[in-house]
């Protein structure tokens, strides 16, 4: 294995087929701070920004910040912020070195340093990929959760925050105190109306600091809505080894991605923005319908395939889609339940989009693990499934696949698979969900379905009252017990379409 890491000094020695930064990185200044600099940001927003920096927009360099661990900093900083985006498809592999990120800070190591960075006047956009749980909100209501441990901590320790909200409000307070303008806060997480949600929880948090600060933040920030889409599976040791053979050096920060990328953005920026549209982004007045299409079709299908696919013994989404019954199930769900819950724009080719999603899911070059997609289900399900479900219940539409998906999720969070093996459930509510299973499963599936639909942190107050939904989930739980997930899919969905 090569001991040399990717860095500025060896860029010119990389193979000719590798795309490299075409600009002088020393001339790039910081205009964006990104909180939560994980793989998705590096393969998506930073990748779009790289295009614009290369086109001469050098005031939009990125400094990343990790709010938890030092892992990404330790990957990127020894490499001068450089990393590879490796596009994988059934047709082959393309490698691009991205230079848009100049540095990475670790919040817990020096909170004041990150607050001061966010307060710099040159920073005009603060972007976020902190996952659903990072917003410290109640997913069912969309309001700030004032009892969230990070919120409680940050309000008591404003100089050493833990949460994104604590850092952003703290930095805006510094800007107000210093007579500086605010900035645009750009959510790039998969949340419905993510801009409105972010604006709401920021002001609700600030109100707990002072009404005056909350009013100033309302007047001196914008929170545009966005819709982001690119499949970015976790990078494995095998991926890094394969890339090392191409580059001739080690890249510990490499990210894998499909060729497809989409970014729809509400054009509401306080102090300018990169011309991301020239890199392929779409700027619109209203993002919500595109967001719903993506959340309910792509993300909704992904989660459905993740839980049922994992329980069927499949490691990756492509493995799941190689089973014909699952392939039919995915398209059936998109057509019958997800699409019919949305007022699709007349100029949007929904059939082509559905076919494109199936093709993307079938990409065997990407090893997108079902276990990875299954993470944090309690935070994702309200966004990905429940809007569709409520629409169908209100309109007496089909709920067959969503009730099947919920039954599989309930089985998954029991933390035991069909063979009796332990499942490592990664979810902020994992202990509560397992306790529900342990308490109510011995009483039968009727009691189990009742208990879950009454679990308000996920389902809110209304769905427990749906006898139709309860009956459907209970029926699928019985079928899963009797047949197992894979046999259940093969028996009940092989002929759909």
């Amino acid at each position: 294995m090569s001991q040399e890491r990717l860095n500025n000094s060896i860029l010119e020695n990389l193979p000719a087929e590798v795309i490299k930064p075409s600009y002088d990185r020393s001339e790039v200044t910081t205009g964006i701070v990104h909180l939560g600099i994980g793989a998705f940001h590096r393969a998506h927003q930073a990748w779009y920004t790289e295009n614009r920096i290369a086109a001469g927009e050098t005031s939009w360099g990125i400094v990343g910040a990790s709010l938890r661990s030092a892992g990404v900093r330790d990957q990127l900083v020894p490499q001068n912020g450089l990393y590879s985006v490796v596009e994988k498809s059934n047709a082959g592999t393309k490698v691009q070195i991205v230079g848009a990120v100049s540095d990475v800070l670790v919040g817990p190591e020096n909170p004041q340093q990150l607050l001061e960075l966010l307060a710099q006047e040159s920073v005009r956009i603060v972007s976020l990929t902190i996952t659903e749980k990072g917003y410290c909100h109640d997913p069912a209501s969309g309001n700030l959760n004032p009892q969230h441990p990070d919120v409680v901590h940050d309000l008591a320790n404003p100089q050493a925050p833990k949460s994104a909200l604590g850092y952003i409000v703290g930095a805006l307070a510094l800007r107000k105190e210093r007579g500086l303008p605010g900035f645009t806060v750009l959510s790039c997480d998969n949340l419905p109306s993510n801009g409105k949600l972010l604006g709401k929880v920021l002001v609700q948090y600030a109100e707990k600091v002072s009404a005056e600060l909350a009013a100033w933040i309302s007047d001196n920030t914008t929170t545009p809505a966005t819709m982001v889409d690119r499949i970015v599976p976790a990078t494995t040791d095998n991926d890094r080894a394969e890339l090392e053979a191409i580059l001739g050096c080690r890249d510990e920060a490499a990210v894998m991605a499909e060729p497809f990328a989409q970014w729809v953005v509400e054009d509401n920026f306080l102090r300018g923005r990169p011309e991301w549209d020239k890199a392929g982004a779409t700027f619109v007045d209203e993002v919500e319908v595109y967001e719903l299409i993506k959340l309910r079709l792509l993300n909704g299908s992904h989660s459905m395939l993740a839980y049922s696919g994992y329980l069927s013994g499949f490691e990756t989404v492509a493995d799941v889609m190689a089973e014909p019954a699952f392939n039919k199930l995915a398209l059936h769900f998109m057509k019958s339940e997800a699409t019919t819950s949305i007022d699709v724009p007349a100029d949007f080719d929904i059939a082509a989009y559905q076919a494109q999603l199936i093709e993307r899911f079938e990409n065997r070059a990407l090893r997108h693990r079902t276990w990875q997609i299954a993470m944090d289900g309690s935070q994702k399900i309200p966004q990905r499934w429940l809007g569709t479900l409520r629409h169908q219940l209100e309109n007496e539409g089909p709920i067959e696949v969503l009730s099947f998906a919920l039954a599989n999720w309930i089985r998954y969070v029991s933390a035991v698979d069909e063979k009796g093996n332990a499942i490592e459930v990664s979810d902020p509510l994992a202990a509560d969900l397992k306790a529900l299973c342990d308490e109510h499963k011995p009483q039968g599936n009727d009691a189990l379905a009742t208990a879950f639909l009454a679990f308000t942190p996920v389902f809110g107050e209304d769905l427990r009252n749906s006898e139709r939904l309860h009956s459907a989930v209970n029926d699928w739980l019985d079928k899963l017990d009797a047949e197992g997930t894979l046999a259940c899919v093969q028996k009940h969905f092989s002929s759909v379409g």
Side-chain angles (χ1 to χ4, degrees), residues 282 284 289-290 293 343-353:
T282 303
V284 297
V289 68
Y290 299 94
I293 291 170
D343 187 11
V344 178
D347 61 351
F348 188 87
D349 190 341
I350 194 69
Y353 182 74

Side-chain angles (χ1 to χ4, degrees), residues 421-439:
N421 300 315
I423 300 172
E424 181 189 352
V425 178
S426 179
D427 191 294
L429 300 180
D432 295 331
L433 297 168
K434 186 178 188 305
L436 281 180
C437 293
D438 292 345
E439 179 180 354

Side-chain angles (χ1 to χ4, degrees), residues 174-388:
L174 288 175
R175 286 176 174 254
K176 176 179 179 293
E177 179 184 312
R178 295 170 184 176
L180 298 174
F183 46 60
T184 291
V185 195
L186 188 67
S187 169
C188 297
D189 284 298
N190 281 317
L191 290 160
S193 301
N194 56 9
K196 291 177 184 174
L197 170 67
L198 176 56
K200 179 161 98 170
V201 294
L202 277 176
V203 170
Q204 288 175 337
Y205 182 99
E207 283 171 344
K208 296 188 174 298
V209 179
S210 84
E212 181 185 357
L213 176 61
W216 187 89
I217 288 175
S218 292
D219 292 339
N220 290 274
T221 61
T222 59
T223 55
T226 68
M227 187 277 275
V228 299
D229 189 5
R230 194 174 206 184
I231 295 173
V232 182
T235 303
T236 66
D237 289 338
N238 284 341
D239 292 328
R240 294 186 186 94
E242 289 174 5
L243 178 62
E244 185 175 346
I246 296 171
L247 296 179
C249 64
R250 189 77 176 166
D251 181 358
E252 295 293 346
V255 291
M256 306 296 120
E258 63 175 335
F260 178 91
Q262 185 180 22
W263 195 8
V264 183
V265 189
E266 178 188 0
D267 203 356
N268 181 23
F269 288 76
L270 190 72
R271 298 169 58 212
R273 58 167 174 81
E275 292 188 279
W276 285 313
D277 45 321
K278 293 183 178 177
T282 303
F283 284 92
V284 297
D285 293 330
E286 292 287 340
V287 170
E288 278 73 11
V289 68
Y290 299 94
E291 185 180 81
L292 282 179
I293 291 170
K294 191 256 180 172
L295 274 170
R296 295 185 181 182
L297 274 73
L298 185 146
N299 298 120
S301 298
H302 241 181
S303 287
M304 182 270 293
L305 293 168
Y307 298 114
S308 55
Y310 182 95
L311 292 171
S312 296
F314 295 118
E315 183 182 1
T316 72
V317 172
D319 294 336
V320 179
M321 294 297 285
E323 163 56 51
F326 267 113
N327 202 296
K328 289 187 174 184
L329 171 60
L331 188 58
H332 174 63
F333 167 66
M334 291 182 208
K335 288 181 174 181
S336 68
E337 297 183 25
T339 298
T340 58
S341 73
I342 304 167
D343 187 11
V344 178
D347 61 351
F348 188 87
D349 190 341
I350 194 69
Y353 182 74
Q354 293 165 351
Q356 184 183 54
L357 289 180
I358 295 297
E359 183 179 349
R360 292 167 65 192
F361 292 165
E362 292 172 339
N363 182 354
R364 299 202 65 82
L366 282 185
R367 296 194 57 77
H368 203 180
R369 296 172 63 205
T370 51
W371 182 85
Q372 181 191 2
I373 301 164
M375 293 171 64
D376 301 333
S378 67
Q379 311 297 295
K380 294 174 178 176
I381 282 172
Q383 332 302 339
R384 299 184 175 195
W385 292 350
L386 301 190
T388 302

Side-chain angles (χ1 to χ4, degrees), residues 138 140 390 453-466:
D138 170 22
R390 287 185 171 100
L453 293 177
F455 188 65
T456 55
V458 174
F459 295 98
E461 299 288 350
D462 58 323
L463 291 175
R464 73 174 79 190
N465 301 317
S466 172

Side-chain angles (χ1 to χ4, degrees), residues 34-113:
H34 185 84
L35 306 181
I37 183 166
F40 185 80
H41 169 71
R42 303 202 302 277
H44 195 271
Q45 301 93 39
W47 177 81
Y48 279 95
T49 305
E50 173 77 3
N51 177 287
R52 301 321 305 150
I53 294 174
E57 297 181 44
T58 55
S59 67
W60 291 109
I62 300 169
V63 172
S66 172
L67 302 186
R68 299 298 178 197
S69 70
V72 177
R73 188 272 312 278
D74 294 345
Q75 291 174 342
L76 277 170
V77 169
Q79 300 182 179
N80 306 122
L82 295 168
Y83 63 92
S84 309
V85 174
V86 183
E87 293 185 4
K88 289 188 166 189
S89 71
N90 295 333
T93 298
K94 182 175 100 175
V95 180
Q96 178 178 359
I97 308 299
V98 173
V101 179
S102 64
D103 198 5
V104 178
L105 305 185
V106 180
E109 291 183 358
N110 193 337
Q112 198 62 40
Q113 181 187 22

